[in-house]
Amino acid sequence: SILSALGKSSHKEITAYKRMLEMQQGGMSASEAIAEMTKRGDDNLDADDVDSDIDSDSDPGTDLDAPQLDAWNKQRVDNLFDALDKVDRLFVNGAISDETAYQFLVDEQVATLWNAYCALEPTATPASSKTPASSKTPTSLNITTFVASVREQAAATSRLLSTVAQTFLRQHDGAAALHVPVGFKPRGGDGKRLELRMMQRLIAWHLTEGGRRCFGNWSAPGAGKTLAALLTARLAQSRLTVVICPNNVIPTWQAQIDRTYNHGKRINVVAEIQTWQPHDDADFLILNYDRLQGADAEAQALKFCEDYGNRIGLVVVDECHRAKNDGQIGQQGSGGKAGPSSRRRVLDAIVKALPKSKLLIQTGTPVLTGCAEGVSLIDLIDETAQTTYGFTRKNSFSECMRLHQAMTR
């Protein structure tokens, strides 16, 4: 997905994957293969697109499509479990000893299981039209049978397979068991009750029972990130939730807040907009990104944090790619660094001034033109990321892998 966002040709992407796979089949670890590709010059995605491994008779004007995976069914799930068992043997016999690589495999495969779960989840969101979990699907696999098959692997002798299964189940069972607060009754624009999707529960679980203080939600546009944030705010018992978003998204937040809380007699919600001084009984403060700009914006933000910090339980940065310019994007090889944008500087100041508040950043497009953008967003929620992953901020296959690893955690 990161490679596609960068607009790199599928020829180069396929060639990179092909070379990496060939090296691994020859006995190299993934990190060794990437290092060799870098040495050979196959790693730079910004270089001229010369793919000698592609048949010269192929039409240069036609992109090759990446292999399409079948829909999730029992056979595909079984194949996944079998593959994990085989990979585990590489760790057992010492072929791979890197614990960081092991943890990445766990995180990545847990994410794969969640992708399968969400693909199998009924698409209808109104509670009145929810599809029974036990109903059969054309693929002969549904959420109930899928989760049951994962539970069977939790006791597998393979360390990797059992760890992946146990990690997924811890998240799944925790999210499923979340107690939805009284008065939290979301409805759609048509007034019908909305059934919470597991993604929305999972985000809230990570930031509450799961123990995370900061989290990045990279779900696709329209996946329900706004409702996930509202659920997190209630479960985190945030007395004042600060939402920073583009001006054109403010009506969406207002409408969803009204449709989620205002009909609940136990909840008194007042949404304050475009001011650094929320009303005493305001539960939400909605700010346009433009409020983070201006000569005195940082001073106002810090004063706000000082005055209201004890009430702020959650800060939501919606469409967070709007604050991606941390001063290091496009600076490689320039001989110097430009300063961060006013938006980013003030946002960094807010995050630093509220060390006890939860932070949820969200966007469906974390990478638009370069890897440095994704790294910048990761830095917002993980100040140790640079040390952990060794980002270069250059558009390379290995940087895409590092960024993917960070975003999968």
Side-chain angles (χ1 to χ4, degrees), residues 267-330:
I267 304 294
N268 178 31
V269 173
V270 179
E272 293 285 347
I273 301 173
Q274 299 297 65
T275 173
W276 288 108
Q277 296 181 331
H279 196 271
D280 289 342
D281 58 355
D283 294 293
F284 288 88
L285 174 66
I286 306 176
L287 297 172
N288 176 8
Y289 275 109
D290 290 343
R291 294 293 298 177
L292 306 184
Q293 300 176 183
D296 61 344
E298 186 171 355
Q300 289 186 31
L302 291 176
K303 183 65 166 58
F304 163 72
C305 293
E306 180 181 353
D307 293 343
Y308 299 96
N310 63 332
R311 287 176 55 192
I312 301 173
L314 175 67
V315 176
V316 181
V317 185
D318 195 18
E319 304 294 346
C320 60
H321 59 273
R322 300 289 187 97
K324 66 189 178 186
N325 187 3
D326 61 355
Q328 299 184 59
I329 295 178

Short mmCIF file of all heavy atoms in Angstrom, two decimals, residues 267-330:
data_model
loop_
_atom_site.label_atom_id
_atom_site.label_comp_id
_atom_site.label_asym_id
_atom_site.label_seq_id
_atom_site.Cartn_x
_atom_site.Cartn_y
_atom_site.Cartn_z
N ILE A 267 -26.30 11.83 29.72
CA ILE A 267 -25.13 12.52 29.19
C ILE A 267 -25.51 13.95 28.79
O ILE A 267 -26.49 14.16 28.09
CB ILE A 267 -24.57 11.79 27.95
CG1 ILE A 267 -24.25 10.34 28.30
CG2 ILE A 267 -23.33 12.50 27.43
CD1 ILE A 267 -23.14 10.17 29.30
N ASN A 268 -24.73 14.92 29.24
CA ASN A 268 -24.94 16.31 28.84
C ASN A 268 -23.75 16.72 27.97
O ASN A 268 -22.63 16.87 28.46
CB ASN A 268 -25.03 17.23 30.05
CG ASN A 268 -25.20 18.69 29.65
OD1 ASN A 268 -25.79 18.97 28.61
ND2 ASN A 268 -24.68 19.60 30.45
N VAL A 269 -23.98 16.87 26.69
CA VAL A 269 -22.90 17.16 25.76
C VAL A 269 -23.04 18.56 25.19
O VAL A 269 -24.09 18.94 24.71
CB VAL A 269 -22.88 16.14 24.60
CG1 VAL A 269 -21.85 16.56 23.56
CG2 VAL A 269 -22.53 14.77 25.14
N VAL A 270 -21.98 19.31 25.30
CA VAL A 270 -21.91 20.62 24.66
C VAL A 270 -20.63 20.63 23.84
O VAL A 270 -19.55 20.40 24.36
CB VAL A 270 -21.88 21.77 25.70
CG1 VAL A 270 -21.78 23.11 24.99
CG2 VAL A 270 -23.11 21.73 26.58
N ALA A 271 -20.73 20.86 22.56
CA ALA A 271 -19.56 20.90 21.69
C ALA A 271 -19.16 22.34 21.44
O ALA A 271 -19.92 23.11 20.86
CB ALA A 271 -19.87 20.19 20.37
N GLU A 272 -17.98 22.72 21.91
CA GLU A 272 -17.45 24.06 21.67
C GLU A 272 -16.57 24.02 20.43
O GLU A 272 -15.81 23.09 20.23
CB GLU A 272 -16.63 24.53 22.87
CG GLU A 272 -17.47 24.74 24.13
CD GLU A 272 -18.30 26.01 24.08
OE1 GLU A 272 -18.06 26.84 23.19
OE2 GLU A 272 -19.21 26.15 24.90
N ILE A 273 -16.67 25.04 19.61
CA ILE A 273 -15.95 25.06 18.34
C ILE A 273 -15.15 26.35 18.17
O ILE A 273 -15.63 27.43 18.48
CB ILE A 273 -16.94 24.92 17.17
CG1 ILE A 273 -17.72 23.62 17.29
CG2 ILE A 273 -16.21 24.97 15.83
CD1 ILE A 273 -18.82 23.49 16.27
N GLN A 274 -13.91 26.21 17.74
CA GLN A 274 -13.08 27.33 17.32
C GLN A 274 -12.77 28.34 18.43
O GLN A 274 -12.74 29.54 18.19
CB GLN A 274 -13.76 28.06 16.14
CG GLN A 274 -13.94 27.18 14.91
CD GLN A 274 -12.62 26.72 14.34
OE1 GLN A 274 -11.89 26.00 14.95
NE2 GLN A 274 -12.31 27.18 13.14
N THR A 275 -12.57 27.87 19.62
CA THR A 275 -12.14 28.76 20.69
C THR A 275 -11.23 27.98 21.63
O THR A 275 -11.43 26.78 21.84
CB THR A 275 -13.34 29.32 21.48
OG1 THR A 275 -12.84 30.04 22.60
CG2 THR A 275 -14.25 28.21 21.96
N TRP A 276 -10.23 28.67 22.18
CA TRP A 276 -9.33 28.03 23.13
C TRP A 276 -9.89 28.03 24.54
O TRP A 276 -9.26 27.54 25.47
CB TRP A 276 -7.97 28.73 23.12
CG TRP A 276 -7.14 28.50 21.90
CD1 TRP A 276 -6.87 29.39 20.91
CD2 TRP A 276 -6.46 27.30 21.54
NE1 TRP A 276 -6.07 28.82 19.95
CE2 TRP A 276 -5.80 27.52 20.31
CE3 TRP A 276 -6.35 26.03 22.12
CZ2 TRP A 276 -5.03 26.56 19.65
CZ3 TRP A 276 -5.58 25.07 21.47
CH2 TRP A 276 -4.94 25.34 20.26
N GLN A 277 -11.09 28.57 24.73
CA GLN A 277 -11.69 28.65 26.06
C GLN A 277 -13.04 27.95 26.06
O GLN A 277 -14.08 28.58 25.88
CB GLN A 277 -11.84 30.11 26.49
CG GLN A 277 -10.52 30.83 26.65
CD GLN A 277 -10.69 32.27 27.10
OE1 GLN A 277 -11.69 32.91 26.80
NE2 GLN A 277 -9.71 32.80 27.81
N PRO A 278 -13.05 26.64 26.27
CA PRO A 278 -14.31 25.89 26.24
C PRO A 278 -15.21 26.25 27.41
O PRO A 278 -14.76 26.68 28.48
CB PRO A 278 -13.84 24.43 26.35
CG PRO A 278 -12.54 24.52 27.07
CD PRO A 278 -11.89 25.79 26.58
N HIS A 279 -16.49 26.08 27.20
CA HIS A 279 -17.48 26.30 28.24
C HIS A 279 -17.25 25.31 29.38
O HIS A 279 -16.70 24.23 29.18
CB HIS A 279 -18.89 26.11 27.65
CG HIS A 279 -19.97 26.68 28.49
ND1 HIS A 279 -20.60 25.97 29.47
CD2 HIS A 279 -20.54 27.92 28.49
CE1 HIS A 279 -21.52 26.72 30.04
NE2 HIS A 279 -21.52 27.91 29.47
N ASP A 280 -17.66 25.69 30.59
CA ASP A 280 -17.40 24.83 31.76
C ASP A 280 -17.97 23.43 31.62
O ASP A 280 -17.41 22.48 32.17
CB ASP A 280 -17.96 25.49 33.02
CG ASP A 280 -17.15 26.71 33.44
OD1 ASP A 280 -16.01 26.82 32.97
OD2 ASP A 280 -17.67 27.54 34.21
N ASP A 281 -19.13 23.30 30.93
CA ASP A 281 -19.74 21.97 30.82
C ASP A 281 -19.56 21.36 29.43
O ASP A 281 -20.26 20.43 29.05
CB ASP A 281 -21.23 22.03 31.17
CG ASP A 281 -22.00 23.00 30.29
OD1 ASP A 281 -21.36 23.70 29.49
OD2 ASP A 281 -23.24 23.07 30.42
N ALA A 282 -18.59 21.88 28.68
CA ALA A 282 -18.30 21.33 27.36
C ALA A 282 -17.54 20.01 27.50
O ALA A 282 -16.60 19.90 28.27
CB ALA A 282 -17.49 22.31 26.53
N ASP A 283 -17.97 19.02 26.75
CA ASP A 283 -17.29 17.73 26.72
C ASP A 283 -16.37 17.61 25.51
O ASP A 283 -15.46 16.76 25.50
CB ASP A 283 -18.31 16.59 26.69
CG ASP A 283 -19.13 16.50 27.96
OD1 ASP A 283 -18.55 16.19 29.01
OD2 ASP A 283 -20.34 16.77 27.90
N PHE A 284 -16.60 18.44 24.51
CA PHE A 284 -15.79 18.40 23.29
C PHE A 284 -15.38 19.81 22.89
O PHE A 284 -16.17 20.75 22.95
CB PHE A 284 -16.56 17.76 22.13
CG PHE A 284 -16.75 16.28 22.26
CD1 PHE A 284 -17.84 15.77 22.95
CD2 PHE A 284 -15.83 15.40 21.72
CE1 PHE A 284 -18.00 14.40 23.09
CE2 PHE A 284 -15.99 14.03 21.85
CZ PHE A 284 -17.08 13.54 22.54
N LEU A 285 -14.14 19.94 22.48
CA LEU A 285 -13.63 21.17 21.91
C LEU A 285 -13.14 20.84 20.51
O LEU A 285 -12.21 20.06 20.33
CB LEU A 285 -12.47 21.73 22.74
CG LEU A 285 -11.76 22.96 22.18
CD1 LEU A 285 -12.70 24.16 22.16
CD2 LEU A 285 -10.51 23.29 22.98
N ILE A 286 -13.81 21.38 19.50
CA ILE A 286 -13.49 21.07 18.11
C ILE A 286 -12.75 22.26 17.49
O ILE A 286 -13.28 23.37 17.44
CB ILE A 286 -14.77 20.77 17.29
CG1 ILE A 286 -15.57 19.66 17.98
CG2 ILE A 286 -14.40 20.37 15.87
CD1 ILE A 286 -16.88 19.36 17.29
N LEU A 287 -11.52 22.01 17.06
CA LEU A 287 -10.68 23.06 16.52
C LEU A 287 -10.32 22.80 15.06
O LEU A 287 -9.94 21.69 14.70
CB LEU A 287 -9.38 23.18 17.33
CG LEU A 287 -9.51 23.58 18.80
CD1 LEU A 287 -8.17 23.45 19.48
CD2 LEU A 287 -10.05 25.00 18.92
N ASN A 288 -10.41 23.84 14.24
CA ASN A 288 -9.94 23.79 12.88
C ASN A 288 -8.42 23.89 12.90
O ASN A 288 -7.84 24.55 13.77
CB ASN A 288 -10.56 24.95 12.10
CG ASN A 288 -10.06 25.06 10.69
OD1 ASN A 288 -9.35 24.18 10.19
ND2 ASN A 288 -10.41 26.14 10.02
N TYR A 289 -7.73 23.25 11.95
CA TYR A 289 -6.27 23.32 11.89
C TYR A 289 -5.77 24.76 11.83
O TYR A 289 -4.66 25.06 12.27
CB TYR A 289 -5.75 22.56 10.67
CG TYR A 289 -5.57 21.08 10.91
CD1 TYR A 289 -6.42 20.15 10.33
CD2 TYR A 289 -4.56 20.61 11.75
CE1 TYR A 289 -6.25 18.79 10.55
CE2 TYR A 289 -4.38 19.26 11.98
CZ TYR A 289 -5.24 18.35 11.38
OH TYR A 289 -5.06 17.00 11.62
N ASP A 290 -6.58 25.67 11.28
CA ASP A 290 -6.15 27.06 11.18
C ASP A 290 -5.91 27.69 12.55
O ASP A 290 -5.18 28.68 12.67
CB ASP A 290 -7.18 27.90 10.41
CG ASP A 290 -7.23 27.53 8.93
OD1 ASP A 290 -6.27 26.89 8.46
OD2 ASP A 290 -8.22 27.87 8.26
N ARG A 291 -6.52 27.12 13.60
CA ARG A 291 -6.30 27.64 14.95
C ARG A 291 -4.88 27.37 15.42
O ARG A 291 -4.43 27.95 16.41
CB ARG A 291 -7.30 27.02 15.93
CG ARG A 291 -8.74 27.40 15.71
CD ARG A 291 -9.00 28.84 15.98
NE ARG A 291 -8.73 29.20 17.38
CZ ARG A 291 -8.83 30.44 17.87
NH1 ARG A 291 -9.18 31.42 17.09
NH2 ARG A 291 -8.55 30.67 19.14
N LEU A 292 -4.18 26.47 14.74
CA LEU A 292 -2.81 26.14 15.11
C LEU A 292 -1.82 27.04 14.38
O LEU A 292 -0.60 26.83 14.49
CB LEU A 292 -2.50 24.68 14.80
CG LEU A 292 -3.44 23.63 15.38
CD1 LEU A 292 -2.92 22.23 15.06
CD2 LEU A 292 -3.62 23.81 16.87
N GLN A 293 -2.31 28.01 13.65
CA GLN A 293 -1.46 28.91 12.89
C GLN A 293 -1.56 30.32 13.45
O GLN A 293 -2.51 30.66 14.15
CB GLN A 293 -1.84 28.89 11.41
CG GLN A 293 -1.72 27.52 10.77
CD GLN A 293 -2.20 27.46 9.33
OE1 GLN A 293 -2.21 26.41 8.72
NE2 GLN A 293 -2.60 28.58 8.78
N GLY A 294 -0.57 31.13 13.19
CA GLY A 294 -0.57 32.49 13.70
C GLY A 294 0.55 32.71 14.69
O GLY A 294 1.05 31.77 15.32
N ALA A 295 0.94 33.96 14.86
CA ALA A 295 2.08 34.29 15.70
C ALA A 295 1.89 33.88 17.15
O ALA A 295 2.84 33.50 17.83
CB ALA A 295 2.36 35.79 15.60
N ASP A 296 0.67 33.98 17.66
CA ASP A 296 0.43 33.67 19.07
C ASP A 296 -0.25 32.32 19.28
O ASP A 296 -0.72 32.03 20.38
CB ASP A 296 -0.42 34.77 19.71
CG ASP A 296 -1.79 34.90 19.05
OD1 ASP A 296 -1.96 34.36 17.93
OD2 ASP A 296 -2.68 35.53 19.64
N ALA A 297 -0.33 31.48 18.24
CA ALA A 297 -1.05 30.20 18.35
C ALA A 297 -0.43 29.29 19.40
O ALA A 297 -1.14 28.66 20.19
CB ALA A 297 -1.09 29.51 16.99
N GLU A 298 0.91 29.19 19.42
CA GLU A 298 1.56 28.30 20.37
C GLU A 298 1.35 28.76 21.81
O GLU A 298 1.08 27.95 22.70
CB GLU A 298 3.05 28.20 20.07
CG GLU A 298 3.77 27.17 20.94
CD GLU A 298 5.20 26.92 20.50
OE1 GLU A 298 5.61 27.47 19.45
OE2 GLU A 298 5.91 26.16 21.19
N ALA A 299 1.43 30.07 22.03
CA ALA A 299 1.21 30.61 23.38
C ALA A 299 -0.22 30.34 23.84
O ALA A 299 -0.46 29.97 25.00
CB ALA A 299 1.51 32.10 23.39
N GLN A 300 -1.19 30.51 22.93
CA GLN A 300 -2.59 30.25 23.28
C GLN A 300 -2.79 28.77 23.59
O GLN A 300 -3.51 28.41 24.54
CB GLN A 300 -3.49 30.66 22.12
CG GLN A 300 -3.61 32.14 21.91
CD GLN A 300 -4.62 32.48 20.84
OE1 GLN A 300 -5.61 31.77 20.64
NE2 GLN A 300 -4.38 33.57 20.13
N ALA A 301 -2.17 27.91 22.79
CA ALA A 301 -2.34 26.47 23.00
C ALA A 301 -1.74 26.03 24.33
O ALA A 301 -2.36 25.25 25.06
CB ALA A 301 -1.66 25.71 21.85
N LEU A 302 -0.57 26.55 24.67
CA LEU A 302 0.07 26.17 25.93
C LEU A 302 -0.72 26.70 27.12
O LEU A 302 -0.82 26.03 28.15
CB LEU A 302 1.51 26.70 25.96
CG LEU A 302 2.47 26.02 24.97
CD1 LEU A 302 3.83 26.67 25.01
CD2 LEU A 302 2.59 24.53 25.29
N LYS A 303 -1.28 27.90 27.00
CA LYS A 303 -2.12 28.45 28.07
C LYS A 303 -3.37 27.60 28.24
O LYS A 303 -3.81 27.31 29.38
CB LYS A 303 -2.53 29.89 27.72
CG LYS A 303 -3.36 30.60 28.80
CD LYS A 303 -2.55 30.79 30.06
CE LYS A 303 -3.22 31.79 31.00
NZ LYS A 303 -4.58 31.42 31.42
N PHE A 304 -3.93 27.15 27.13
CA PHE A 304 -5.10 26.27 27.17
C PHE A 304 -4.77 24.96 27.89
O PHE A 304 -5.53 24.49 28.74
CB PHE A 304 -5.57 25.99 25.75
CG PHE A 304 -6.50 24.83 25.61
CD1 PHE A 304 -7.81 24.89 26.06
CD2 PHE A 304 -6.06 23.64 25.04
CE1 PHE A 304 -8.66 23.80 25.94
CE2 PHE A 304 -6.91 22.56 24.91
CZ PHE A 304 -8.21 22.64 25.36
N CYS A 305 -3.64 24.36 27.56
CA CYS A 305 -3.22 23.11 28.19
C CYS A 305 -3.00 23.30 29.69
O CYS A 305 -3.33 22.41 30.50
CB CYS A 305 -1.95 22.57 27.54
SG CYS A 305 -2.17 22.02 25.83
N GLU A 306 -2.46 24.43 30.05
CA GLU A 306 -2.21 24.70 31.47
C GLU A 306 -3.53 24.86 32.23
O GLU A 306 -3.68 24.36 33.35
CB GLU A 306 -1.38 25.97 31.60
CG GLU A 306 -1.06 26.35 33.04
CD GLU A 306 -0.26 27.64 33.14
OE1 GLU A 306 0.18 28.16 32.10
OE2 GLU A 306 -0.07 28.13 34.28
N ASP A 307 -4.50 25.53 31.62
CA ASP A 307 -5.77 25.81 32.29
C ASP A 307 -6.72 24.62 32.31
O ASP A 307 -7.48 24.45 33.27
CB ASP A 307 -6.47 27.00 31.61
CG ASP A 307 -5.71 28.30 31.79
OD1 ASP A 307 -4.85 28.36 32.69
OD2 ASP A 307 -5.98 29.24 31.02
N TYR A 308 -6.69 23.80 31.25
CA TYR A 308 -7.69 22.74 31.11
C TYR A 308 -7.10 21.33 31.05
O TYR A 308 -7.84 20.36 30.87
CB TYR A 308 -8.53 22.98 29.85
CG TYR A 308 -9.29 24.28 29.87
CD1 TYR A 308 -8.75 25.41 29.25
CD2 TYR A 308 -10.52 24.40 30.51
CE1 TYR A 308 -9.42 26.62 29.27
CE2 TYR A 308 -11.20 25.60 30.52
CZ TYR A 308 -10.65 26.71 29.91
OH TYR A 308 -11.32 27.90 29.94
N GLY A 309 -5.77 21.24 31.21
CA GLY A 309 -5.11 19.95 31.07
C GLY A 309 -5.65 18.86 31.97
O GLY A 309 -5.70 17.68 31.59
N ASN A 310 -6.10 19.22 33.17
CA ASN A 310 -6.61 18.20 34.10
C ASN A 310 -7.95 17.64 33.65
O ASN A 310 -8.39 16.60 34.17
CB ASN A 310 -6.73 18.78 35.51
CG ASN A 310 -7.75 19.92 35.58
OD1 ASN A 310 -7.97 20.62 34.59
ND2 ASN A 310 -8.35 20.11 36.74
N ARG A 311 -8.61 18.28 32.69
CA ARG A 311 -9.88 17.79 32.18
C ARG A 311 -9.72 17.01 30.89
O ARG A 311 -10.59 16.20 30.53
CB ARG A 311 -10.85 18.96 31.91
CG ARG A 311 -11.41 19.62 33.15
CD ARG A 311 -12.27 20.82 32.75
NE ARG A 311 -13.32 20.44 31.80
CZ ARG A 311 -14.05 21.33 31.12
NH1 ARG A 311 -13.81 22.62 31.25
NH2 ARG A 311 -14.99 20.92 30.29
N ILE A 312 -8.63 17.26 30.17
CA ILE A 312 -8.45 16.67 28.84
C ILE A 312 -7.99 15.22 28.95
O ILE A 312 -6.87 14.95 29.38
CB ILE A 312 -7.43 17.48 28.01
CG1 ILE A 312 -7.90 18.93 27.88
CG2 ILE A 312 -7.25 16.85 26.64
CD1 ILE A 312 -6.88 19.84 27.23
N GLY A 313 -8.86 14.30 28.58
CA GLY A 313 -8.51 12.89 28.63
C GLY A 313 -8.09 12.32 27.29
O GLY A 313 -7.42 11.30 27.23
N LEU A 314 -8.50 13.01 26.20
CA LEU A 314 -8.20 12.50 24.86
C LEU A 314 -8.03 13.66 23.89
O LEU A 314 -8.82 14.61 23.88
CB LEU A 314 -9.33 11.59 24.37
CG LEU A 314 -9.24 11.07 22.93
CD1 LEU A 314 -8.06 10.11 22.78
CD2 LEU A 314 -10.54 10.37 22.52
N VAL A 315 -6.99 13.57 23.06
CA VAL A 315 -6.79 14.49 21.95
C VAL A 315 -6.88 13.68 20.66
O VAL A 315 -6.17 12.68 20.50
CB VAL A 315 -5.41 15.19 22.02
CG1 VAL A 315 -5.21 16.07 20.79
CG2 VAL A 315 -5.30 16.02 23.29
N VAL A 316 -7.77 14.08 19.77
CA VAL A 316 -7.95 13.40 18.49
C VAL A 316 -7.46 14.31 17.38
O VAL A 316 -7.91 15.45 17.25
CB VAL A 316 -9.43 13.04 18.24
CG1 VAL A 316 -9.58 12.31 16.90
CG2 VAL A 316 -9.99 12.20 19.37
N VAL A 317 -6.51 13.83 16.60
CA VAL A 317 -6.01 14.59 15.46
C VAL A 317 -6.54 13.91 14.21
O VAL A 317 -6.01 12.89 13.75
CB VAL A 317 -4.46 14.65 15.44
CG1 VAL A 317 -3.98 15.56 14.32
CG2 VAL A 317 -3.94 15.13 16.79
N ASP A 318 -7.62 14.46 13.67
CA ASP A 318 -8.30 13.87 12.52
C ASP A 318 -7.66 14.38 11.22
O ASP A 318 -7.26 15.54 11.14
CB ASP A 318 -9.78 14.23 12.56
CG ASP A 318 -10.61 13.37 11.62
OD1 ASP A 318 -10.12 12.30 11.20
OD2 ASP A 318 -11.75 13.77 11.30
N GLU A 319 -7.58 13.49 10.22
CA GLU A 319 -6.89 13.82 8.97
C GLU A 319 -5.50 14.35 9.31
O GLU A 319 -5.08 15.43 8.86
CB GLU A 319 -7.70 14.86 8.17
CG GLU A 319 -9.12 14.46 7.86
CD GLU A 319 -9.21 13.26 6.90
OE1 GLU A 319 -8.18 12.92 6.28
OE2 GLU A 319 -10.30 12.68 6.77
N CYS A 320 -4.78 13.57 10.10
CA CYS A 320 -3.51 14.02 10.67
C CYS A 320 -2.44 14.31 9.62
O CYS A 320 -1.43 14.95 9.94
CB CYS A 320 -2.99 13.01 11.70
SG CYS A 320 -2.69 11.35 11.04
N HIS A 321 -2.64 13.84 8.39
CA HIS A 321 -1.65 14.16 7.35
C HIS A 321 -1.61 15.66 7.07
O HIS A 321 -0.68 16.15 6.43
CB HIS A 321 -1.96 13.38 6.06
CG HIS A 321 -3.32 13.66 5.51
ND1 HIS A 321 -4.45 12.97 5.91
CD2 HIS A 321 -3.75 14.55 4.58
CE1 HIS A 321 -5.51 13.42 5.25
NE2 HIS A 321 -5.11 14.37 4.45
N ARG A 322 -2.62 16.40 7.57
CA ARG A 322 -2.61 17.86 7.41
C ARG A 322 -1.52 18.51 8.27
O ARG A 322 -1.26 19.70 8.14
CB ARG A 322 -3.97 18.43 7.80
CG ARG A 322 -5.17 17.92 6.99
CD ARG A 322 -5.15 18.46 5.56
NE ARG A 322 -6.36 18.12 4.84
CZ ARG A 322 -7.41 18.93 4.70
NH1 ARG A 322 -7.38 20.14 5.25
NH2 ARG A 322 -8.47 18.57 4.02
N ALA A 323 -0.96 17.75 9.21
CA ALA A 323 0.09 18.29 10.09
C ALA A 323 1.37 17.47 9.93
O ALA A 323 2.10 17.27 10.90
CB ALA A 323 -0.38 18.29 11.54
N LYS A 324 1.63 17.02 8.74
CA LYS A 324 2.76 16.11 8.50
C LYS A 324 4.10 16.84 8.41
O LYS A 324 5.16 16.23 8.58
CB LYS A 324 2.54 15.33 7.21
CG LYS A 324 2.56 16.22 5.96
CD LYS A 324 2.13 15.47 4.72
CE LYS A 324 2.11 16.40 3.51
NZ LYS A 324 1.57 15.73 2.31
N ASN A 325 4.08 18.14 8.11
CA ASN A 325 5.33 18.86 7.85
C ASN A 325 6.08 19.16 9.15
O ASN A 325 5.85 20.19 9.79
CB ASN A 325 5.05 20.15 7.09
CG ASN A 325 6.33 20.85 6.65
OD1 ASN A 325 7.43 20.34 6.87
ND2 ASN A 325 6.18 22.01 6.04
N ASP A 326 6.98 18.26 9.52
CA ASP A 326 7.77 18.44 10.73
C ASP A 326 9.12 19.10 10.46
O ASP A 326 9.98 19.15 11.33
CB ASP A 326 8.00 17.09 11.42
CG ASP A 326 8.76 16.11 10.53
OD1 ASP A 326 9.04 16.44 9.37
OD2 ASP A 326 9.08 15.00 11.02
N GLY A 327 9.28 19.61 9.24
CA GLY A 327 10.52 20.30 8.89
C GLY A 327 11.58 19.41 8.30
O GLY A 327 12.66 19.87 7.93
N GLN A 328 11.30 18.11 8.21
CA GLN A 328 12.28 17.17 7.68
C GLN A 328 11.84 16.51 6.39
O GLN A 328 12.51 15.62 5.88
CB GLN A 328 12.59 16.10 8.72
CG GLN A 328 13.18 16.64 10.01
CD GLN A 328 13.57 15.53 10.96
OE1 GLN A 328 14.39 14.68 10.64
NE2 GLN A 328 12.97 15.53 12.14
N ILE A 329 10.70 16.91 5.87
CA ILE A 329 10.20 16.33 4.63
C ILE A 329 10.85 17.04 3.45
O ILE A 329 10.82 18.27 3.34
CB ILE A 329 8.67 16.45 4.54
CG1 ILE A 329 8.02 15.60 5.64
CG2 ILE A 329 8.16 16.03 3.17
CD1 ILE A 329 6.51 15.70 5.67
N GLY A 330 11.48 16.26 2.57
CA GLY A 330 12.12 16.83 1.39
C GLY A 330 13.43 17.52 1.66
O GLY A 330 13.92 18.26 0.83
#
